[in-house]
Amino acid sequence: MQEFTTSFEILVLAEKQLLYKALVAQLKKDFGRVNVDLKIPENPIPEHLQAELHEKVYRLMLEQFPEYLNLLYIVDVPEHKVRQLEAIDVVDMAKTVSFLILKREWTKVSLRKQQGEWSS
C-alpha cells in the first residue's frame, strides 16, 4: 500500500487507476450512513472534492460533533491516529482528519479492486 502525504496525491492516483468514481461513491456512501449529505457532483474535479470534504469535516467538528464521531467510526479511521493529531486550530485539524478519511476510503476502494482482480 502506497504512503501518501496529501489528499491530492490520493485523488490523482485514484484518477490514474480509474477508481476516482468509486472513491467518490464510497465517500458519499459512508457520509450517507451517518445522515450527512456530502454535496458533490457525480464526477467532481479533485480540487473541488478535496475542498468540499475539508469543509464538511470542519462543519461537522464545529456543529455536529456526534455525527463527526460516527463518521470516523463508519469510515474506520483509527482512533489512535486522531488522538495523535496536534490541534493547532480546528481548520488544520479538519484538514488532517479529511486526509485520514480520504486515505481510509482509498484503502477500501483499492482493496476491493485487488480482490476483484484476484477472483478473475
Side-chain angles (χ1 to χ4, degrees):
M1 193 57 69
Q2 182 174 346
E3 273 302 311
F4 300 101
T5 56
T6 67
S7 295
F8 196 71
E9 290 175 359
I10 297 169
L11 298 173
V12 168
L13 182 61
E15 283 186 315
K16 283 182 184 176
Q17 293 188 6
L18 305 176
L19 293 172
Y20 188 73
K21 284 185 178 185
L23 180 59
V24 170
Q26 184 66 47
L27 282 164
K28 286 183 174 185
K29 175 185 171 186
D30 285 345
F31 271 79
R33 291 176 64 196
V34 293
N35 295 320
V36 173
D37 186 26
L38 189 59
K39 294 178 181 163
I40 52 176
E42 189 68 26
N43 196 15
I45 60 171
E47 294 85 355
H48 182 242
L49 177 60
Q50 184 177 359
E52 181 61 31
L53 181 60
H54 178 252
E55 176 68 21
K56 185 58 76 174
V57 169
Y58 174 78
R59 292 282 173 214
L60 287 172
M61 292 171 90
L62 292 178
E63 300 167 4
Q64 297 174 286
F65 198 72
E67 287 83 354
Y68 163 74
L69 294 176
N70 285 338
L71 177 66
L72 295 179
Y73 177 77
I74 291 295
V75 172
D76 194 25
V77 173
E79 185 178 338
H80 72 276
K81 293 209 178 212
V82 176
R83 289 180 188 258
Q84 289 174 347
L85 298 179
E86 293 184 25
I88 298 168
D89 66 19
V90 178
V91 173
D92 287 338
M93 189 165 181
K95 181 178 180 180
T96 304
V97 170
S98 297
F99 170 68
L100 293 174
I101 289 170
L102 198 55
K103 190 173 168 182
R104 179 63 184 124
E105 297 289 48
W106 169 249
T107 300
K108 291 178 188 179
V109 169
S110 62
L111 286 175
R112 282 193 197 113
K113 181 179 188 292
Q114 287 176 357
Q115 290 171 348
E117 289 175 355
W118 292 334
S119 64
S120 303

